Amino acid sequence: MSPVIATLWLINVTLDTGGQLAFKAAASDPLAGDGMARWRYMARRPWIWLGILAYVTHLLSWIAFLSLVDLSQGVLLASINIVAIMIAGRLLFREKLTPLRVGGILLVSAGVAIVGLSG
């Protein structure tokens, strides 16, 4: 994997993970209320806008990444985002990592490593 492809891959993982974490932070604010009041509250919070910015930037970097790798390889390499999001969710939001989830993390990581080394 060339340094440019590796850099774009890391940028994609970072932006996707950051966007998911920002959306989770916006959605899990206990002060948000219910119904439309919740949506108005979230729209005024910086987390939702940070998530949107991360996703727009992620889209652009994803297009750049896909212009350099085969789609089948790119999609498989992007699977590591699931692992990063699950670990970050555990660290920042104290979400549970059950034995099945840990097994899934290990399998996805192994698959990404195999695809990354073969490309």
Side-chain angles (χ1 to χ4, degrees):
M1 187 180 304
S2 77
V4 172
I5 292 171
T7 300
L8 284 170
W9 181 51
L10 290 174
I11 289 169
N12 273 284
V13 172
T14 303
L15 289 170
D16 187 28
T17 303
Q20 291 284 351
L21 294 172
F23 288 144
K24 174 69 175 181
S28 62
D29 190 333
L31 302 176
D34 293 321
M36 284 306 295
R38 178 180 197 78
W39 288 99
R40 285 191 296 274
Y41 179 85
M42 285 192 298
R44 293 189 306 266
R45 308 299 298 164
W47 289 118
I48 199 84
W49 298 105
L50 183 63
I52 291 169
L53 177 63
Y55 265 48
V56 169
T57 310
H58 173 260
L59 173 65
L60 298 174
S61 65
W62 178 244
I63 293 168
F65 177 70
L66 286 181
S67 73
L68 300 173
V69 299
D70 292 338
L71 179 61
S72 58
Q73 182 185 21
V75 169
L76 289 171
L77 287 172
S79 297
I80 200 69
N81 297 2
I82 297 166
V83 173
I85 292 164
M86 287 176 70
I87 293 170
R90 170 70 181 133
L91 295 173
L92 297 175
F93 299 108
R94 297 185 189 104
E95 294 180 351
K96 288 181 65 173
L97 284 181
T98 64
L100 280 177
R101 290 180 186 177
V102 171
I105 286 172
L106 295 174
L107 288 172
V108 169
S109 298
V112 170
I114 291 167
V115 170
L117 292 174
S118 69

